[in-house]
């Protein structure tokens, strides 16, 4: 419940206002509200109509999207989501995990700053929308908002479009809060430590040590790299720092890219092809980690554990281990809290 007060030195008839707070707004990609055709179509339409994601001229892209892709893809995407859907809460795992992350971060902010910080989350596509949560925070008295896209590596199609939507939400506010955005944290020591600890825990629980660790990142068109997007370089650095922290040899971890869409050439190697080639070359035991995803989602729970696993086994692989995303793991949440704290400097004692 929002606490109201009358500003100091205000006349007696001045309306009560919420006490000033600082807000931290976590943002992730998004999720459909349900797995039926129309829910999936609404979600995919918003996602695939984003010019940061698909930068083809609308006059070329929209007829293809509306008449062909959105006639078929909601059925297949809905079926894939049903395989991983949280039936108890009737929501996607990404929603469940992001809520848990928000609660964990709120607890850490409470310990550090008392009640001066309000932590919320939003989705770039779907609900809760960025605009609705910004509105909620402003009404609650957040005069400053730190916007925190949960993407360790920067990409125009993830971090930038989330920031775009945040600034569009601010455009709708009569009294805009002061705003900051959290930059990519792909090389943050606490983030790398949390990744390394998750690998060590997973390996310790296995009967046999994997022969290779594959770091699978979400892909993007090769063209974006040539146009100046730093994502590919930041992914490579994350892998290198993880390997160095684990103390492994240079060939112990591979970097690859998944979730290819369309006919354009994307960043290579493609994970689904790479794991098959590993199996064909005699590598029988691998583990896969997804350092670009802060929370498990359709790309990890269905694509990695389904299509990518099947490609490895079909090519002769024997043991396939998926190392879960960091999710609301304590070390991960400590890292996110430290990153938020640094970016709150000057706003809070």
């Amino acid at each position: 419940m929002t606490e109201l007060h009358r500003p100091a030195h205000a006349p007696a008839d001045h309306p009560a206002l919420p006490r000033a707070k600082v807000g931290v707004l976590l943002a992730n990609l998004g999720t459909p509200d349900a797995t039926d055709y129309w829910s999936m179509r609404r979600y995919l339409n918003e996602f695939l109509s984003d010019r940061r994601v698909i930068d083809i001229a609308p006059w070329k892209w929209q007829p293809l999207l509306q008449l062909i892709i959105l006639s078929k893809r909601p059925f297949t995407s809905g079926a894939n989501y049903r395989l991983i859907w949280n039936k108890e809460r009737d929501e996607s795992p990404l929603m469940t995990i992001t809520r848990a992350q928000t609660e964990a971060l709120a607890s850490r902010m409470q310990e550090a700053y008392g009640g001066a910080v309000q932590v919320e989350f939003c989705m770039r596509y779907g609900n809760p929308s960025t605009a609705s949560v910004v509105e909620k925070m402003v009404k609650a008295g957040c005069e400053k908002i730190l916007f925190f896209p949960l993407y360790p590596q920067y990409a125009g199609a993830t971090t930038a479009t989330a920031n775009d939507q945040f600034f569009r939400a601010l455009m709708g506010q009569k009294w805009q809060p002061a705003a900051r955005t959290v930059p990519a944290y792909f090389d943050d020591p606490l983030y790398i430590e949390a990744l390394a600890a998750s690998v060590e825990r997973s390996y310790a629980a296995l009967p046999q040590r994997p022969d290779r660790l594959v770091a699978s990142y979400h892909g993007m068109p090769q063209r974006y790299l040539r146009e100046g997007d730093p994502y590919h370089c930041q992914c490579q650095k994350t892998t290198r720092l993880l390997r160095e922290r684990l103390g492994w040899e240079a060939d112990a971890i591979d970097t690859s890219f998944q979730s290819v869409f369309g006919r354009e050439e994307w960043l290579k190697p493609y994970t689904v092809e790479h794991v098959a080639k590993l199996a064909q070359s005699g590598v029988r035991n691998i583990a896969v980690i997804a350092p670009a995803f802060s929370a498990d989602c359709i790309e990890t729970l269905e694509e990695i554990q389904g299509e990518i696993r099947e490609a490895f086994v079909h090519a002769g692989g024997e043991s396939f281990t998926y190392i879960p995303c960091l999710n609301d793991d304590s070390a991960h949440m400590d890292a996110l809290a430290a990153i938020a704290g640094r970016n709150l400097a000057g706003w809070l004692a």
Side-chain angles (χ1 to χ4, degrees), residues 130 149 277-278:
T130 305
K277 289 178 180 178
L278 286 176

Side-chain angles (χ1 to χ4, degrees), residues 216-236:
S216 180
Y217 297 83
H218 199 290
M220 69 161 51
Q222 281 275 5
R223 172 170 52 85
Y224 291 10
L225 170 62
R226 296 193 297 270
E227 292 171 351
D229 195 299
Y231 178 73
H232 179 265
C233 298
Q234 293 183 1
C235 293
Q236 296 287 353

